[in-house]
Structure formats: structure tokens, C-alpha cells
Amino acid sequence: MDVGIVILAAGNGARFGGNKLLAPLAGQPVVGHVLALVPAKLCARTRLVTQYQALFALGAAHGIPVIRNDRPELGQSHSVRLGVQALADADGILFLAGDQPWVRKQTVTALLELFAQHPERIVGAKVGERLRNPCVFPRSLYPELLSLEGDTGGRPVLMAHRALWLGLETDPAELRDIDRREDLPDTEAGRSAQHATNLEG
């Protein structure tokens, strides 16, 4: 199986109040944890899609080619289209969100192995009855991914093809994303938010 990987890392981070992808987390930038998920043999078949110049150096350090998204105002769908266009010859594409630093490498490996066994299916991390990122789309659905518009990822395509779903049950803690500064446990805001949660619990 020839599987490509697209890392979506072009968001404006409006609710975070800045570039959340470069925010420090456990000694490295948030997106650095996601770059580290890519198996070494797939670095050349991976594309980091971003608007941020600083991420070009990070991609290079991991041996991952970078695609510049110079129209981030078009929404996440533009990053999806750029990634699919770059890897259009792949049998499937695994999408990783640049703001999901807690995904485990074992989960990525398991998703790729599951897709290799079922290359016609949409294979994704599953929590209950819901499929989540990371998610692998087969080549048959590329035309629909390329037709996406606005600030949306692959969810419209996902929802249109529920019969193709094949989920890997995953710990929800892995699939948390960074949306606000309080989501970062290494920040003062994160510690304050966690303290408030503990008090409420």
C-alpha cells in the first residue's frame, strides 16, 4: 500500500490568540509532537500544509516536505485540497491535525495497518460511535475531498459515506486538540483551568 500523510497546520488560531502550533508543550512546539508521529519510511510521502514560515524549518528537520497555504482565509478545506493534490497518486491519505499533540505513534501505526487490510474503507480513530481524526481516506474519495469549500475538513465526506467507516477504538484523551491557551497544561492558564476543573469535580 502506498499511503500518504497530510498534516493540517495552517489555521489562524483565533481562539488561541496566536500561532498555537508553535506554543511550547513538554519541551517542543505543539506541532512538533505531530511531526514526530510520522513513520520514518513515510516522511517523503508526507506533506505539512501551513501558512507559517517558521514551520518550514520544522518540516525540514523531520525530513517532511512543506506546502505553503497562502490562502488560509479560504478555510481548512483549502489545506485539504492542497494536500490531496500533492498526493493524488497515493492509495490513501492519512490526515493529521497539527493541534492534536497527544495522539500516540502506536495509534497512527494501527490506523495505517488497518487501512492496508481494508484499502476501500475510511479508517479513523473512533470514540463510541463517532469517527475522528486521525483519519485515512481512500483514493476513491479524493474527488469529493477536492470539492470541499469553506472552513471544513473531511467531515462532510465522512458523513456522506458512513457505510465505509471502519473505526479504531481510541482513548479520547489522545484526540484532544489545542483550541485555547487553557488547553495547554504547561501554561499558567492551563494549570489554572485544570485547578478549576479539579475544584468543580
Side-chain angles (χ1 to χ4, degrees), residues 6 67 74 76-90 93 95 137-150 152-158 161:
V6 171
I67 298 174
L74 296 179
Q76 193 179 88
S77 63
H78 187 53
S79 290
V80 171
R81 292 196 301 272
L82 289 172
V84 173
Q85 288 166 358
L87 297 170
D89 59 336
I93 296 175
F95 288 91
F137 286 87
R139 186 192 295 176
S140 62
L141 297 180
Y142 292 177
E144 293 180 49
L145 292 172
L146 290 170
S147 71
L148 291 169
E149 295 183 355
T152 182
R155 180 147 293 275
V157 179
L158 194 67
H161 297 278

Side-chain angles (χ1 to χ4, degrees), residues 177-193:
D177 58 6
I178 306 287
D179 198 22
R180 301 173 179 82
R181 291 188 183 273
E182 305 90 81
D183 297 329
L184 282 171
D186 285 0
T187 65
E188 200 61 46
R191 285 192 289 272
S192 297

